[in-house]
Amino acid sequence: MEALSQKIDIMCREKFRRLIAENIARLGNISIRYTKNNKKLSLEHLETIYNSYEKVVRDIPKQLLKIERTVRLKYLEPMSDKRRCDILRKMSTDVELLINGMDDEYRAVYSKHHKTEEFEQRAQAILAASKKKIEEETVKLAVILDQEIVGSDRIPPAGLAKVYGLDESTLVDLNAIRPLQNLHQVFDRLSSDERARAAFDGIQKSIILCSKFGTGVEVDEKQSRTVEARRLKKNSMVAGTLVLQELIYNIQIMVEQLQLPEERRNGGIVCKTWDRLKDLLKGYEGEEQVLNCLTPFFQMFALHEKQEGV
């Protein structure tokens, strides 16, 4: 998925910039400390500078590959050989530019201490070690992703988008991918239970119904192109999206309770969550229909008799 790789690249560039900014700030603090002690650009100071660069060189593959793994597991998207080679090339280039920058910045200073050759040897050694580490870790990550994704029973985001009639980008904005994947996993394991099937069907219908909240706002046709009309539509959409996000969040809480053995379930949490759902839906057209869809799910906890009026 080329679009996913581009998304990851944007996140990685931002993380890379933060790592560089942190190193610059760290070098500034180091310089202040050694200047105060009248040891500016002493061998001791230079060693601390070198250690700071060594740290950022270690952190680059560690942090960037962590992003790669997290996002690809979220979308259940493995890493192609081409992607692995691209990562290797980009990260190796970034590290090389960083080390060369350090070399250009401090070579003359090391020369005054008659340590130029030693400095350059160390710089090249850390560069070679870093490139080797990057290659090893990218290969390792590709294998891990293949193992975890091929053996995963989680429904991919594209599948969720199709089921619920939502864009993948909307699912991301709602932070709904993992909760919905977990929802499907839990009820797939309960597929032989007729009550569970009815509850799952109701949950899906409730989410689809709720996803329409805010989309049907009526505006006078004569005023439809005005700023006020556009603002009204936008505010309505935002409100509807927030309700959908809260609906999924509260369903997630109840699903977590459902996964526990009956004796360990917290009835108080379930009832409070159910009450929150009812308050959440108040005032929306289709409120009763959504609650009716969710009722079989709540009844799976056998708490309906304790909750009058449900």
Side-chain angles (χ1 to χ4, degrees):
M1 186 189 295
E2 192 64 29
L4 183 62
S5 293
Q6 291 173 1
K7 185 190 295 286
I8 294 172
D9 284 340
I10 292 171
M11 296 170 68
C12 286
R13 294 320 295 173
E14 180 58 33
K15 170 58 77 171
F16 177 76
R17 283 193 288 268
R18 284 203 294 268
L19 290 173
I20 297 302
E22 288 170 5
N23 187 52
I24 291 171
R26 191 163 54 242
L27 291 174
N29 291 332
I30 290 169
S31 180
I32 291 171
R33 186 168 75 247
Y34 280 94
T35 299
K36 285 182 177 179
N37 294 329
N38 294 319
K39 292 184 177 181
K40 184 176 181 180
L41 299 181
S42 63
L43 284 175
E44 183 182 349
H45 183 190
L46 292 173
E47 183 65 21
T48 310
I49 290 171
Y50 180 86
N51 291 339
S52 180
Y53 274 94
E54 193 173 33
K55 172 177 170 50
V56 73
V57 166
R58 287 196 309 268
D59 285 345
I60 287 171
K62 182 178 178 181
Q63 296 296 329
L64 271 53
L65 290 177
K66 181 179 179 181
I67 292 172
E68 189 86 25
R69 175 174 180 166
T70 301
V71 176
R72 290 194 176 277
L73 285 178
K74 184 175 184 178
Y75 285 90
L76 301 180
E77 185 70 24
M79 181 194 296
S80 67
D81 287 340
K82 178 181 180 302
R83 176 62 180 172
R84 183 178 59 79
C85 291
D86 286 345
I87 292 171
L88 177 60
R89 176 179 52 77
K90 288 177 184 177
M91 259 194 282
S92 296
T93 299
D94 285 340
V95 170
E96 187 167 358
L97 289 172
L98 184 65
I99 294 299
N100 288 342
M102 178 185 72
D103 190 295
D104 291 342
E105 181 78 17
Y106 296 103
R107 186 192 303 111
V109 182
Y110 273 92
S111 178
K112 292 179 181 178
H113 292 282
H114 307 290
K115 296 284 186 177
T116 306
E117 185 176 349
E118 180 183 336
F119 167 64
E120 292 185 341
Q121 286 176 350
R122 290 181 69 189
Q124 290 306 308
I126 189 176
L127 177 58
S130 178
K131 286 185 176 182
K132 182 180 179 182
K133 183 71 172 176
I134 291 169
E135 184 172 8
E136 290 173 348
E137 291 301 314
T138 51
V139 170
K140 181 179 176 182
L141 177 57
V143 172
I144 290 173
L145 287 171
D146 282 343
Q147 291 173 343
E148 295 194 20
I149 290 171
V150 171
S152 174
D153 61 349
R154 283 191 279 132
I155 184 170
L160 293 174
K162 186 175 181 180
V163 169
Y164 296 101
L166 297 166
D167 294 333
E168 287 186 52
S169 59
T170 301
L171 291 174
V172 172
D173 292 340
L174 292 172
N175 291 317
I177 292 175
R178 277 298 177 88
L180 291 178
Q181 286 176 333
N182 186 48
L183 170 69
H184 280 254
Q185 284 180 306
V186 170
F187 279 95
D188 282 348
R189 291 194 290 268
L190 299 173
S191 59
S192 60
D193 186 325
E194 188 175 341
R195 288 189 314 152
R197 290 199 302 272
F200 185 40
D201 182 61
I203 291 171
Q204 289 181 296
K205 287 179 179 176
S206 73
I207 293 172
I208 292 170
L209 286 168
C210 196
S211 70
K212 304 297 189 292
F213 286 179
T215 60
V217 61
E218 294 184 4
V219 177
D220 190 314
E221 188 175 345
K222 295 179 180 178
Q223 304 294 323
S224 62
R225 297 183 181 278
T226 64
V227 173
E228 290 76 11
R230 289 197 296 270
R231 184 181 295 118
L232 176 61
K233 285 184 178 180
K234 181 178 179 181
N235 290 342
S236 180
M237 288 290 293
V238 169
T241 299
L242 291 175
V243 171
L244 177 58
Q245 186 175 41
E246 283 297 308
L247 177 82
I248 295 171
Y249 170 72
N250 282 285
I251 288 173
Q252 178 187 16
I253 292 174
M254 294 176 71
V255 168
E256 289 171 353
Q257 289 295 316
L258 186 66
Q259 293 179 84
L260 298 173
E262 287 190 32
E263 65 275 9
R264 290 181 55 198
R265 292 175 188 167
N266 190 322
I269 289 177
V270 175
C271 288
K272 286 178 181 177
T273 304
W274 180 247
D275 287 339
R276 276 201 305 272
L277 282 170
K278 291 192 290 185
D279 289 338
L280 175 71
L281 297 167
K282 279 181 181 176
Y284 282 93
E285 186 177 350
E287 165 193 352
E288 187 175 346
Q289 190 178 2
V290 174
L291 284 174
N292 286 340
C293 289
L294 288 171
T295 296
F297 178 39
F298 177 70
Q299 290 175 339
M300 285 190 70
F301 294 92
L303 297 170
H304 55 288
E305 294 179 355
K306 301 176 185 179
Q307 188 83 345
E308 292 184 5
V310 174

